[in-house]
Amino acid sequence: MTTAIPSDTSWSSGRAWFTVGLFMLLYVCSMLDRNIVSVLVTPIKQELGASDFQLGLLMGPAFGVSYVVLALPLAWLADRWSRRGTVFIGIVIWSISNCAAGLTHSFEALLATRVGVGAGEAALVPAAYVLIGQLFPRRSLALALSIFSMGAIGGLVVGFGLGGWMLDRLGIGFELPLVGHMAAWRLVFFFTGLPSLALGLLLYFVPERKKQLGASAPKAALLPFLRAHPWPAIGIPIAFAMASLCSAAMIAWVPAFAMREFNWSATKMGLVMACLLAGIGTVGKLASGFFADRLFARGSLDGHPRYLMTTLIIATPAAVAAFFAGPTSFVILLGVWFLVAYSVQGYGAAAIQLFTPEPLRGRMSAMFIIVINLMTTTGPSMVGYLSDYVLHTPGQLGPAIAITVAAWSPPAIVLLWLLLTGTRRAVLANLQNEAASDDVLHKKA
């Protein structure tokens, strides 16, 4: 069942903000289930006898490959059928897969459950972008999607915090009816997989615009659209992914760098990372959405990529200099990046919604997520390669991290500058098409 949404839906609508809150919580659960295996590495290794390479497969490719492969087909299903229904099916798949991980007794079976988690979670983000986009006017869409994307930070914080706490509190595990003894790590998989199932039932209350059928349905095909607007359609995902790659490289290696360079304890490093991610990063997410919306509301049709271009110009020198500075300056300079250039996914997704016709938004959102996921996975390995094989300084990570940021951020700035004109044209064309479509519907009504 679908709920009709008026074209002038108010951004302050309670139902609209309920939808943002629900999808943010689902995103928290998604990131929790995605990353919980990182907390459980030691007991899994002890009980199943898995090698470090096998554990690496569980934490990376097992999830990532299925996520990337299925994101576009599931987005196609959401565009053609029901976005709400597609998300619910995805929730059931990833939740059951995560719970089933606690029942496995071999590495191969555990690997299969991680593939299931990735397959199910591939349905969430592209459909959420479109459903939220239908509920908010363009002038406030970036803020709404930035709030939704805060679920990624929340999932990381909850995963590491709650997962470790549960593992300690559950001790040696419990005896359960029919199943028998379950070790603590198995119970953690089970308990972290259940909340998303309960939240999924609330999708019934999420409004979904009824799709037009027959002659009145808007005509849109993906390949002709890409050919008509290549700069924003291809350039925006790549440019935003370049910025995300830099962030991923720093998040992966900053703890090791600071502990080696400044002799910080793991506790001190954990506190610094928590402040950068959960503190400054959260402020940055809200601020980026707010300012991108303000630019667009003031008539800047290219406001979203223009905002990222500006923040990268400010943040890149600070991030590079951070890895050649003392401890205090390091935290301050790195904080500049996490404040203005780290949180790009929310308003990047908003940019996609603004120039894409409604029937293609799910697939374009999926392409955006796929490009970001593919590029961010290369950031950490790039730093390691530079350190070991190019600079030959495996004990000194600073230069390798700085080179990675300096190598990817400037091309992103140039690409963003080149695509501004194309973005303005694509957004204007979409606005005109939507206005024409609305006129036809009003006349028929």
Side-chain angles (χ1 to χ4, degrees):
M1 185 179 71
T2 57
T3 304
I5 303 170
S7 59
D8 59 345
T9 303
S10 171
W11 72 275
S12 60
S13 163
R15 245 181 137 182
W17 285 112
F18 165 81
T19 300
V20 172
L22 175 60
F23 276 114
M24 185 182 72
L25 290 176
L26 285 169
Y27 204 4
V28 169
C29 292
S30 167
M31 294 298 292
L32 170 63
D33 292 346
R34 180 186 308 188
N35 293 287
I36 194 64
V37 69
S38 299
V39 180
L40 308 176
V41 162
T42 299
I44 291 174
K45 183 178 180 68
Q46 292 172 348
E47 185 166 338
L48 300 185
S51 66
D52 288 338
F53 174 71
Q54 289 175 319
L55 292 169
L57 292 178
L58 292 177
M59 291 184 284
F63 173 92
V65 171
S66 61
Y67 187 101
V68 168
V69 168
L70 289 174
L72 200 55
L74 286 171
W76 176 87
L77 177 65
D79 282 340
R80 297 294 296 271
W81 177 52
S82 165
R83 296 183 176 107
R84 224 170 35 180
T86 304
V87 171
F88 183 76
I89 291 172
I91 290 171
V92 172
I93 293 173
W94 100 57
S95 299
I96 291 177
S97 297
N98 200 69
C99 292
L103 302 175
T104 58
H105 292 278
S106 68
F107 166 76
E108 291 76 15
L110 183 57
L111 185 70
T113 65
R114 297 301 297 167
V115 171
V117 171
E121 291 189 8
L124 175 63
V125 175
Y129 284 159
V130 183
L131 286 169
I132 293 172
Q134 292 175 346
L135 292 169
F136 286 82
R138 298 173 185 88
R139 66 179 182 274
S140 56
L141 180 57
L143 178 60
L145 290 178
S146 293
I147 292 174
F148 161 67
S149 70
M150 286 169 58
I153 294 178
L156 288 170
V157 173
V158 172
F160 289 117
L162 179 63
W165 178 82
M166 289 179 65
L167 191 62
D168 289 338
R169 295 290 293 178
L170 292 171
I172 62 172
F174 294 98
E175 293 288 333
L176 296 180
L178 301 178
V179 179
H181 179 76
M182 289 192 72
W185 67 270
R186 299 178 180 276
L187 291 169
V188 171
F189 272 126
F190 188 78
F191 288 138
T192 55
L194 292 177
S196 49
L197 276 177
L199 288 171
L201 299 176
L202 297 177
L203 286 170
Y204 175 81
F205 300 102
V206 170
E208 181 174 8
R209 177 175 291 147
K210 189 174 183 178
K211 293 180 173 63
Q212 297 169 237
L213 301 174
S216 64
K219 306 300 181 184
L222 185 58
L223 289 179
F225 174 73
L226 294 176
R227 286 194 293 266
H229 304 290
W231 279 106
I234 300 172
I236 284 180
I238 292 175
F240 277 73
M242 287 178 176
S244 297
L245 181 152
C246 297
S247 295
M250 286 186 278
I251 290 173
W253 288 107
V254 158
F257 165 79
M259 292 169 71
R260 295 177 189 178
E261 188 75 16
F262 307 135
N263 293 318
W264 285 357
S265 66
T267 300
K268 183 173 182 178
M269 188 61 251
L271 179 61
V272 170
M273 288 301 292
C275 290
L276 289 173
L277 287 171
I280 296 176
T282 298
V283 173
K285 277 189 178 291
L286 295 174
S288 64
F290 174 80
F291 286 116
D293 280 336
R294 289 294 297 272
L295 283 173
F296 190 83
R298 291 179 177 180
S300 179
L301 299 182
D302 58 6
H304 298 70
R306 184 178 294 276
Y307 180 78
L308 177 59
M309 181 181 70
T310 304
T311 57
L312 286 178
I313 292 172
I314 296 170
T316 300
V320 172
F323 296 97
F324 302 96
T328 302
S329 298
F330 167 77
V331 175
I332 294 173
L333 291 168
L334 205 60
V336 173
W337 177 276
F338 279 89
L339 180 63
V340 301
Y342 165 63
S343 304
V344 304
Q345 188 170 326
Y347 67 95
I352 298 293
Q353 305 297 306
L354 292 173
F355 68 77
T356 304
E358 196 276 337
L360 297 177
R361 286 176 189 164
R363 279 163 281 178
M364 283 299 300
S365 296
M367 289 175 60
F368 177 73
I369 293 298
I370 288 171
V371 173
I372 284 185
N373 275 277
L374 288 175
M375 293 197 69
T376 52
T377 56
T378 66
S381 58
M382 189 174 300
V383 172
Y385 180 82
L386 286 172
S387 179
D388 287 342
Y389 301 109
V390 178
L391 302 176
H392 303 289
T393 56
Q396 299 177 358
L397 293 166
I401 303 172
I403 289 173
T404 300
V405 175
W408 286 96
S409 187
I413 293 170
V414 174
L415 178 57
L416 288 162
W417 179 74
L418 290 173
L419 59 79
L420 293 178
T421 300
T423 300
R424 291 194 295 271
R425 291 173 180 168
V427 172
L428 182 60
N430 191 44
L431 291 175
Q432 292 171 340
N433 289 337
E434 288 182 348
S437 178
D438 288 343
D439 287 342
V440 171
L441 290 175
H442 286 316
K443 289 178 182 178
K444 289 189 175 184

